Amino acid sequence: MKSQNKYRKFQLQQHNIEALEKENSRFKRVYSEYENMSNELWNLENSKDEPVPDDFINAMILQTSYLENEIEDWLIQFNEKKADIKH
């Protein structure tokens, strides 16, 4: 059984992410980089090949967390903007 990728934390907000990708090319680049890094990180941590140094994995985790924070900020702003439009 394959374990789920714990780095894919935005799956429940996929609709908002798709909307943001259409209206903001910078967000699209950041989210694409986040997806690539989170997939690679998950693959490295679950690989049966030669182990990767902890420093390298920790640096990837740190960079992924920076991208997550930036994506979260965009999603918060997007949700606030949608809420303002409804009122």
Side-chain angles (χ1 to χ4, degrees), residues 13-65:
Q13 299 186 58
Q14 201 58 44
H15 182 72
N16 290 344
I17 287 169
E18 289 170 6
L20 269 166
E21 285 180 322
K22 288 178 184 172
E23 71 180 45
N24 189 318
S25 62
R26 179 158 165 39
F27 176 83
K28 186 175 183 172
R29 285 191 310 272
V30 168
Y31 190 76
S32 176
E33 182 66 19
Y34 167 75
E35 283 186 314
N36 291 336
M37 287 195 75
S38 63
N39 287 335
E40 189 60 33
L41 188 54
W42 187 85
N43 289 336
L44 287 172
E45 289 183 338
N46 292 287
S47 173
K48 304 292 183 214
D49 296 332
E50 298 228 357
V52 176
D54 286 344
D55 288 348
F56 182 78
I57 290 188
N58 289 337
M60 286 189 69
I61 290 171
L62 183 62
Q63 180 62 32
T64 301
S65 71

Side-chain angles (χ1 to χ4, degrees), residues 1-12 34 38-39 41-43 45-46:
M1 187 169 111
K2 223 176 181 180
S3 60
Q4 186 174 354
N5 186 342
K6 66 183 178 184
Y7 300 105
R8 299 302 302 268
K9 67 185 270 180
F10 299 110
Q11 288 177 329
L12 297 177
Y34 167 75
S38 63
N39 287 335
L41 188 54
W42 187 85
N43 289 336
E45 289 183 338
N46 292 287

